[in-house]
Amino acid sequence: EAQVTQNPRYLITVTGKKLTVTCSQNMNHEYMSWYRQDPGLGLRQIYYSMNVEVTDKGDVPEGYKVSRKEKRNFPLILESPSPNQTSLYFCASSPQDPGDEQYFGPGTRLTVT
Amino acid sequence: GEDVEQSLFLSVREGDSSVINCTYTDSSSTYLYWYKQEPGAGLQLLTYIFSNMDMKQDQRLTVLLNKKDKHLSLRIADTQTGDSAIYFCAERANTDKLIFGTGTRLQVFP
């Protein structure tokens, strides 16, 4: 089944404890992206990647890192999480670029206390 | 800068039509999209329209684009309870990203 998977689905952590949210797609897509969803703010892009080893900042990159060592994986790293990073996170992928249909993962709900 | 705005809530009776509105600021937008987010899930593409079109119809969905006013709407005919979801408008400008709106939560009651 073609899909985007994220792990974990739910995570509660404490301020400053490094964490990684994994994202994997099995559709051989070039483009991958991370978004955060907050009430009243909609979806905001954190980072995106047009291809392997190519990553760029989105609108809200501060406090996050990403890597794209393989085409299928695009992990999101929070080196020192803070409470304002409590949010719902989505990974998405599309065949070539963001204008193609984006396929979204199921989301990761992160709480930082 | 680029900005996409939507009203936050819409409530309709089952069987009525729903109209979800969106305004955007970037006149160079090439494509505009509607995505649907069901409870507890990620977004799914519903439909899209190219900027040189005024209207697109797809079964119960009608998209209207007023490029002069930078206004996009999504009409859902014969709205069903299964249409209850959050609907996001998004624009593709001349950048490597989509700009999403705040989302409109559609509630359909019997």
Side-chain angles (χ1 to χ4, degrees):
Chain A
E1 181 191 352
Q3 60 183 347
V4 178
T5 56
Q6 295 178 227
N7 281 292
R9 293 289 314 276
Y10 302 91
L11 179 60
I12 301 173
T13 190
V14 295
T15 300
K17 187 176 180 184
K18 181 179 178 180
L19 66 92
T20 299
V21 184
T22 64
C23 172
S24 184
Q25 49 94 4
N26 62 0
M27 297 169 279
N28 201 38
H29 284 172
E30 303 281 342
Y31 182 89
M32 296 187 76
S33 181
W34 275 103
Y35 298 92
R36 60 178 288 173
Q37 183 179 8
D38 301 290
L41 296 177
L43 228 61
R44 294 179 293 168
Q45 190 177 49
I46 303 170
Y47 269 95
Y48 65 97
S49 170
M50 297 294 285
N51 210 329
V52 175
E53 300 292 2
V54 179
T55 63
D56 279 294
K57 295 178 181 178
D59 295 315
V60 288
E62 294 77 21
Y64 304 95
K65 285 173 57 177
V66 292
S67 69
R68 188 93 183 270
K69 294 187 173 63
E70 309 161 280
K71 193 182 238 187
R72 64 184 293 128
N73 296 323
F74 190 44
L76 179 70
I77 302 153
L78 284 71
E79 295 270 4
S80 182
S82 61
N84 65 10
Q85 293 178 299
T86 292
S87 187
L88 180 58
Y89 291 87
F90 288 100
C91 180
S93 72
S94 64
Q96 293 289 332
D97 67 38
D100 300 328
E101 177 177 359
Q102 291 196 38
Y103 293 79
F104 282 76
T108 295
R109 186 165 291 281
L110 172 66
T111 302
V112 183
T113 61
Chain B
E2 303 145 332
D3 195 19
V4 180
E5 293 189 355
Q6 303 176 237
S7 54
L8 290 181
F9 299 101
L10 177 64
S11 185
V12 300
R13 190 179 297 277
E14 191 174 22
D16 288 350
S17 291
S18 309
V19 179
I20 302 170
N21 294 302
C22 168
T23 57
Y24 60 97
T25 56
D26 192 334
S27 57
S28 66
S29 294
T30 52
Y31 286 91
L32 295 125
Y33 305 81
W34 285 103
Y35 276 81
K36 177 184 180 183
Q37 183 184 28
E38 296 189 353
L43 281 68
Q44 284 184 297
L45 181 66
L46 265 185
T47 186
Y48 66 93
I49 189 167
F50 188 49
S51 59
N52 68 354
M53 298 170 65
D54 298 323
M55 185 182 89
K56 180 178 180 182
Q57 188 149 3
D58 183 2
Q59 299 181 345
R60 290 190 299 123
L61 305 179
T62 303
V63 179
L64 293 177
L65 175 60
N66 181 329
K67 207 172 175 189
K68 174 175 166 288
D69 295 337
K70 301 191 191 71
H71 183 266
L72 182 75
S73 67
L74 173 70
R75 179 177 180 268
I76 306 173
D78 188 24
T79 313
Q80 302 298 308
T81 53
D83 294 323
S84 294
I86 301 175
Y87 291 81
F88 289 91
C89 165
E91 65 167 340
R92 169 87 188 273
N94 292 324
T95 57
D96 291 332
K97 59 184 179 181
L98 290 189
I99 308 296
F100 285 88
T102 50
T104 299
R105 184 181 293 276
L106 174 64
Q107 183 176 6
V108 183
F109 57 94

